[in-house]
Amino acid sequence: MKQENPLVTETLKVLDAPPDQRLHALIESPFTAEILERIPTHDAYLMIKESFGSDSTILLPYTPTEKIISFIDLDCWDRDTLSAESFLAWITELAEASDETLLRTLESLDIEIVILLFQPFLKVVITRPTDDNIPELVENGYETFDNNYFFSFSENTEETTVLRNILDMLYLHHQDIYYRILEGVRWELPSEMEETAYRHRMLRLMELGFPS
């Protein structure tokens, strides 16, 4: 008798479970990561989206990066306009899941939407060591990691705390992304970045078979 593949069995067990029991079946499976990689993107998206604020932080570290990008593509746009609120909600969930999960997602996201997330809240001033306005910047609450790029958040909220922590993390681990954010906040036009990100998003969704 042909022995059943346990991964196939577990995958079917999750997909065949009643909707209100799928999440529990996925978390309890010994093949959580493998199932999340195998199941259709939309099924994975629904399970994780429905568990926001609770079990999503358990599942996101097991989720392939390309699927997380698809979740954001599906959930964070209203036609051709980026929903900053929805995007920040995903970033917050990823941050609560683990630093590694957040970092690998930030590495793969279109840099344009990352800049768009920061742009409404962040002010950036680029200085030289000989500039005489540095004490004034510090007095006005600007921070710097390199004594060259000074930044300040326009609000002090839970959301901007998350963004501030991301800058800290990126400076430690991915300075290329850190500097692209600061340069983009200062120089890039939001409309052009949004248009570029939207084109990339549509191409990815079309490759997955979602209607344009």
Side-chain angles (χ1 to χ4, degrees):
M1 180 181 293
K2 186 176 179 180
Q3 188 173 8
E4 290 187 358
N5 184 322
L7 175 55
V8 172
T9 301
E10 286 289 317
T11 302
L12 292 174
K13 179 181 175 182
V14 170
L15 292 177
D16 291 341
D20 61 341
Q21 297 178 27
R22 277 187 177 185
L23 193 63
H24 179 74
L26 178 59
I27 292 172
E28 291 298 313
S29 173
F31 299 104
T32 301
E34 293 86 351
I35 292 171
L36 281 166
E37 186 171 357
R38 289 171 62 95
I39 64 176
T41 296
H42 197 257
D43 287 320
Y45 160 72
L46 290 176
M47 279 191 279
I48 289 180
K49 178 65 177 177
E50 289 170 3
S51 67
F52 255 38
S54 56
D55 293 327
S56 63
T57 56
I58 298 173
L59 293 173
L60 283 168
Y62 294 100
T63 306
T65 306
E66 61 271 17
K67 271 197 165 70
I68 295 175
I69 302 301
S70 297
F71 301 162
I72 292 170
D73 284 339
L74 288 167
D75 198 45
C76 297
W77 291 83
D78 181 7
R79 298 181 183 270
D80 58 355
T81 301
L82 178 69
S83 170
E85 182 179 355
S86 295
F87 185 31
L88 185 56
W90 277 97
I91 291 297
T92 301
E93 290 294 302
L94 290 163
E96 291 180 359
S98 73
D99 289 352
E100 190 277 332
T101 305
L102 176 60
L103 283 171
R104 63 182 169 89
T105 302
L106 289 169
E107 289 173 3
S108 298
L109 281 167
D110 294 328
I111 190 62
E112 290 84 3
I113 66 169
V114 180
I115 296 169
L116 285 168
L117 184 63
F118 280 85
Q119 206 164 41
F121 305 104
L122 193 65
K123 295 177 287 186
V124 178
V125 177
I126 304 173
T127 69
R128 294 173 296 181
T130 55
D131 288 348
D132 58 8
N133 66 330
I134 292 176
E136 182 181 350
L137 290 172
V138 174
E139 185 178 338
N140 288 329
Y142 279 78
E143 302 176 70
T144 183
F145 297 143
D146 60 4
N147 294 316
N148 184 15
Y149 286 76
F150 285 75
F151 63 86
S152 174
F153 285 93
S154 59
E155 301 175 13
N156 184 16
T157 64
E158 291 183 10
E159 291 79 8
T160 56
T161 298
V162 171
L163 297 179
R164 169 61 177 77
N165 291 340
I166 289 173
L167 287 183
D168 195 359
M169 190 185 309
L170 288 173
Y171 187 77
L172 289 174
H173 300 287
H174 289 288
Q175 289 191 11
D176 55 333
I177 302 176
Y178 169 80
Y179 283 113
R180 288 185 73 186
I181 291 171
L182 296 192
E183 287 282 348
V185 164
R186 186 168 171 83
W187 302 113
E188 297 293 340
L189 292 174
S191 57
E192 292 183 359
M193 289 191 293
E194 191 169 55
E195 183 178 345
T196 299
Y198 178 70
R199 287 200 305 269
H200 294 165
R201 176 230 184 199
M202 292 307 298
L203 286 173
R204 287 191 295 268
L205 291 180
M206 287 172 65
E207 289 175 359
L208 290 172
F210 289 93
S212 59

